Amino acid sequence: MSSPEPILASVAGIDKTPRLLSHAEVAGLTDWFGQWLAKTPVSKRQLSLRGLLKGALPTDSYTIYAIADGIPIVYDHANPDNPLNSVSRHLRFVIIALPDKALRAVFDIKQAILDRTLCIVGSANPDGETAFLQCASWDPKGLDRNLGLGIMRFYERTNGGWVYVGDSLNAFNPLSINKGPFDGHIGGGMIMKELTSPWTHWFDTNRDDFISSLGSTKDQPSKCDPYNALNDMLFSGPNGPPLSLVVETLEPIVELSVSKWYDARFARDFLDKSLKPLPEVTAVRDWVGHILLNRSMNIAASATSTPEVQQQANINGVPTTLFFNSNALQRLLPDAGPSNAYTIVNEVYVQAVNSLGLSLYYADFSTDPPTQILAVKECEGPFAFPIIEPGLEDYQGVKTLVNKASIATLLPKKAITAMLMVDFFNPIYSARREGLMQYVPENAALKADGKTYDVLDQLVDNLNASSASKDPKAAEFELLQLLATPDNTYIDVFTDRVNAYLEKVDNRLNNEASIKMAAVEEYMVLADGRRRLYRGRENEKESSGLNEFMLTLPMADRVLPLSRMMEDATVTVMDPEEIAYFSRKNRERMHALAMYTNSPGLGGCPAMAPARHSP
């Protein structure tokens, strides 16, 4: 057998300098992209997006999706020198490929993740050999062929060619966690910021704002689409409309990729080769972190578009995940949830946006450091009321623990539910919940029943040993009380509590004018604070994580304190201890908060400080 072609590796946090993979390591790359590199001489490897799609992949073996930011900015053809025309929309493309299509007669996107699958992400310069280009290569049997456990491997095209940059396991390796591709792919699978309609930043055939923002035509590129990718036949075909894509087909692929990988990860962490529980396990905190922490996020918004707001439409479908973690809790409390969708009267919403000065800003890189410039005044983005919600990687972790409990029980369902019920009205970025991680053990042993681990026993012992467990105001006390709820009543008790709170939210939003106005402003301030905490957490990472583009989410132009929800559906300012916690969490570098004001944890005004810089 001939030797494989050389493959360079550079796993951030592990490889101090790029190195060549050994022959044994190359043989272990059973994914399609790794095998393509192994058999393709370095000089013949396609380095551009067009070359990869047309020269390496089988014909008709992929589908393409487009995403951009700042699409409420309408390209000004009447005034070519309008500076907003030159603001980058960060147009990029996501390609889902089934490279083994030759084994099938017809390309079927529903086979993605079930078969070997590529997720390729490229810039709006399809011919550039130095432009951004990455590939996540899924092998459904790559972790264990006998057990059928999959793994994803990541590759990046650098100036020197294609480089292997790690696999799904590196997302949980202490040396590589939050580094390289794993500052974004924190769960080790695919990522997608929006997982439900409306598709805030994705091309949607039902809307024309994507096209009107990029401004290019079939005959003429634009300043923000200089390569005219919008009309490139690589993406649209010779007779089809520009970017004739349907993003709804991508969402289930992303969710399935995380689900399948977490199934494999669960088996690796807790089961032996016979799929029986291991006597001792060490990945306890990785999994409990999905319950108590918020390492991942998604973006959600109401169903009402900004053009509809301008036509005086009411705001329909304010995301329930602003108020509670429905994606995780409804798996455990199926009857928990609002009785009706939340709606805000147009006049009240517009007044709140104007009062808070919520607008879109862009980074002007002509200054050093970059300067924040107003892009679209009093606009929250393509859709009204965008929020940060708990991310797929975390609530899928909860679902995996619940679904696999019949095989190996890390924590009983009641314990998982009780943890989620701590400060449940703050579904994301809760210092109370996150602080409970200090009581979670590193390791666990299998109990006498041969299925359940002693995590809960250790957790309760650690909680009881804390002086805070005697303080009725402490999260430790709260969790112990929740755990003491009888097994035969906890579902009803917890469900009633969640629904009573959600009813109070509904009452505030549908009350007399003054109460309604106060509620909407409070909830928008709450959403703004969570967006700022998100920016701060992402900016703490080496490469800003997922906080890449300022135009993704709105910012306020007035001082807004960080706030938290209360169980009576009112909003209150965070206390100094909680602000200090988040400051420590971000290594005293709360970039997104400092962007607003000199006082840690408080808001501020980019518009009032023309020299204020992007985080």
Side-chain angles (χ1 to χ4, degrees):
M1 178 181 290
S2 60
S3 297
E5 298 295 333
I7 299 177
L8 204 61
S10 183
V11 181
I14 294 177
D15 295 318
K16 294 183 179 180
T17 58
R19 65 181 182 87
L20 287 175
L21 292 178
S22 67
H23 288 183
E25 288 174 313
V26 172
L29 299 179
T30 54
D31 61 290
W32 188 92
F33 202 85
Q35 291 186 339
W36 175 72
L37 291 177
K39 68 183 181 183
T40 306
V42 174
S43 62
K44 295 186 179 298
R45 292 172 184 168
Q46 285 82 358
L47 300 179
S48 70
L49 179 58
R50 191 186 307 275
L52 193 62
L53 297 184
K54 294 300 184 182
L57 295 178
T59 303
D60 298 327
S61 64
Y62 55 85
T63 189
I64 304 176
Y65 307 87
I67 183 172
D69 293 82
I71 57 178
I73 302 173
V74 178
Y75 197 87
D76 188 355
H77 290 281
N79 181 14
D81 294 327
N82 186 331
L84 291 178
N85 286 347
S86 300
V87 173
S88 175
R89 309 307 197 262
H90 303 290
L91 175 64
R92 59 263 192 212
F93 297 92
V94 175
I95 296 91
I96 299 297
L98 299 178
D100 295 318
K101 175 183 173 286
L103 303 176
R104 296 179 175 276
V106 179
F107 172 77
D108 183 2
I109 192 66
K110 294 180 181 179
Q111 288 300 123
I113 304 302
L114 301 178
D115 295 341
R116 292 201 299 183
T117 302
L118 304 181
C119 176
I120 302 166
V121 183
S123 75
N125 180 4
D127 297 305
E129 295 192 351
T130 59
F132 175 80
L133 189 59
Q134 289 183 336
C135 178
S137 182
W138 170 257
D139 181 355
K141 297 181 179 180
L143 184 64
D144 191 308
R145 306 207 76 74
N146 293 327
L147 298 178
L149 303 177
I151 196 168
M152 188 163 279
R153 297 188 176 93
F154 296 83
Y155 303 86
E156 183 173 339
R157 199 279 330 283
T158 67
N159 292 344
W162 284 101
V163 180
Y164 169 74
V165 292
D167 63 30
S168 300
L169 294 172
N170 290 114
F172 297 94
N173 184 323
L175 296 176
S176 51
I177 191 171
N178 285 345
K179 296 179 180 178
F182 309 108
D183 69 351
H185 297 267
I186 63 162
M190 291 172 59
I191 55 173
M192 184 176 179
K193 288 179 181 176
E194 298 100 333
L195 284 169
T196 56
S197 178
W199 308 106
T200 310
H201 303 98
W202 294 85
F203 177 80
D204 187 334
T205 52
N206 297 318
R207 294 165 28 213
D208 60 5
D209 52 356
F210 203 98
I211 296 172
S212 63
S213 181
L214 288 167
S216 50
T217 65
K218 286 187 176 181
D219 302 318
Q220 185 69 39
S222 67
K223 290 184 177 180
C224 61
D225 183 18
Y227 304 102
N228 207 357
L230 182 64
N231 297 283
D232 194 313
M233 287 193 296
L234 176 68
F235 305 119
S236 61
N239 301 313
L243 305 174
S244 52
L245 315 171
V246 182
V247 72
E248 283 84 350
T249 59
L250 179 58
E251 172 263 331
I253 296 172
V254 174
E255 291 190 329
L256 185 61
S257 84
V258 177
S259 174
K260 288 291 188 181
W261 158 234
Y262 275 27
D263 286 348
R265 178 182 153 221
F266 183 93
R268 181 181 184 274
D269 288 344
F270 301 122
L271 306 178
D272 61 20
K273 294 298 183 180
S274 300
L275 298 181
K276 301 294 184 182
L278 293 167
E280 295 183 351
V281 293
T282 60
V284 175
R285 290 174 63 85
D286 287 343
W287 285 91
V288 178
H290 292 311
I291 306 169
L292 295 176
L293 304 178
N294 292 114
R295 290 192 60 226
S296 70
M297 52 69 68
N298 286 119
I299 296 173
S302 76
T304 306
S305 69
T306 293
E308 289 172 327
V309 172
Q310 295 167 346
Q311 296 169 9
Q312 300 185 336
N314 291 335
I315 313 307
N316 294 316
V318 175
T320 59
T321 46
L322 175 68
F323 304 109
F324 85 119
N325 189 352
S326 57
N327 289 316
L329 272 172
Q330 286 182 329
R331 177 67 179 81
L332 297 152
L333 305 174
D335 293 327
S339 55
N340 298 295
Y342 294 120
T343 299
I344 300 174
V345 175
N346 180 276
E347 180 183 3
V348 173
Y349 171 77
V350 171
Q351 183 177 337
V353 169
N354 295 347
S355 173
L356 301 175
L358 290 166
S359 304
L360 296 178
Y361 293 82
Y362 69 93
D364 180 2
F365 290 98
S366 66
T367 63
D368 185 18
T371 307
Q372 287 180 192
I373 306 293
L374 180 67
V376 185
K377 187 178 181 181
E378 295 171 350
C379 169
E380 289 201 287
F383 289 84
F385 222 124
I387 70 163
I388 297 295
E389 66 176 9
L392 167 64
E393 291 85 351
D394 287 327
Y395 65 74
Q396 183 59 51
V398 172
K399 290 180 180 179
T400 302
L401 289 175
V402 173
N403 293 341
K404 299 294 185 180
S406 61
I407 302 172
T409 304
L410 187 69
L411 282 166
K413 289 182 182 179
K414 188 179 83 171
I416 295 174
T417 312
M419 290 179 177
L420 289 169
M421 285 294 294
V422 173
D423 203 22
F424 72 90
F425 32 90
N426 288 288
I428 192 167
Y429 306 147
S430 165
R432 288 179 65 82
R433 269 195 315 278
E434 293 192 8
L436 293 170
M437 278 296 294
Q438 64 185 300
Y439 303 102
V440 177
E442 296 279 352
N443 308 314
L446 200 62
K447 298 174 72 170
D449 67 359
K451 185 182 75 171
T452 306
Y453 289 99
D454 65 351
V455 176
L456 181 59
D457 298 332
Q458 293 187 65
L459 175 65
V460 170
D461 287 345
N462 293 340
L463 288 168
N464 281 322
S466 167
S467 59
S469 66
K470 309 300 189 293
D471 180 0
K473 295 182 180 180
E476 292 86 344
F477 181 92
E478 180 183 2
L479 179 54
L480 287 170
Q481 293 297 305
L482 290 163
L483 290 170
T485 309
D487 291 353
N488 62 339
T489 62
Y490 83 89
I491 292 179
D492 290 338
V493 171
F494 293 173
T495 298
D496 290 346
R497 186 177 166 193
V498 171
N499 288 343
Y501 152 73
L502 294 174
E503 185 67 25
K504 292 172 184 174
V505 171
D506 186 70
N507 288 340
R508 292 198 73 203
L509 290 174
N510 292 283
N511 213 305
E512 61 184 72
S514 61
I515 295 176
K516 184 187 303 183
M517 187 69 236
V520 171
E521 282 209 12
E522 285 180 18
Y523 297 157
M524 295 183 84
V525 169
L526 181 71
D528 176 77
R530 291 174 182 171
R531 291 192 294 262
R532 287 155 51 205
L533 287 173
Y534 152 71
R535 291 188 181 103
R537 289 193 170 200
E538 293 300 304
N539 286 342
E540 182 270 330
K541 299 176 182 178
E542 289 185 356
S543 59
S544 295
L546 291 174
N547 186 31
E548 301 171 277
F549 314 123
M550 286 182 62
L551 285 164
T552 301
L553 295 166
M555 294 184 286
D557 71 350
R558 53 168 288 191
V559 174
L560 299 176
L562 286 175
S563 58
R564 65 183 340 274
M565 186 68 122
M566 304 300 288
E567 196 167 350
D568 64 359
T570 62
V571 175
T572 187
V573 176
M574 277 188 189
D575 59 43
E577 290 78 12
E578 191 164 11
I579 292 173
Y581 168 84
F582 286 120
S583 183
R584 291 193 303 272
K585 188 78 175 179
N586 290 346
R587 300 180 186 176
E588 305 297 334
R589 292 165 53 201
M590 298 193 71
H591 305 252
L593 306 186
M595 172 180 68
Y596 281 75
T597 180
N598 293 327
S599 301
L602 299 180
C605 173
M608 294 188 295
R612 203 179 299 275
H613 306 301
S614 59

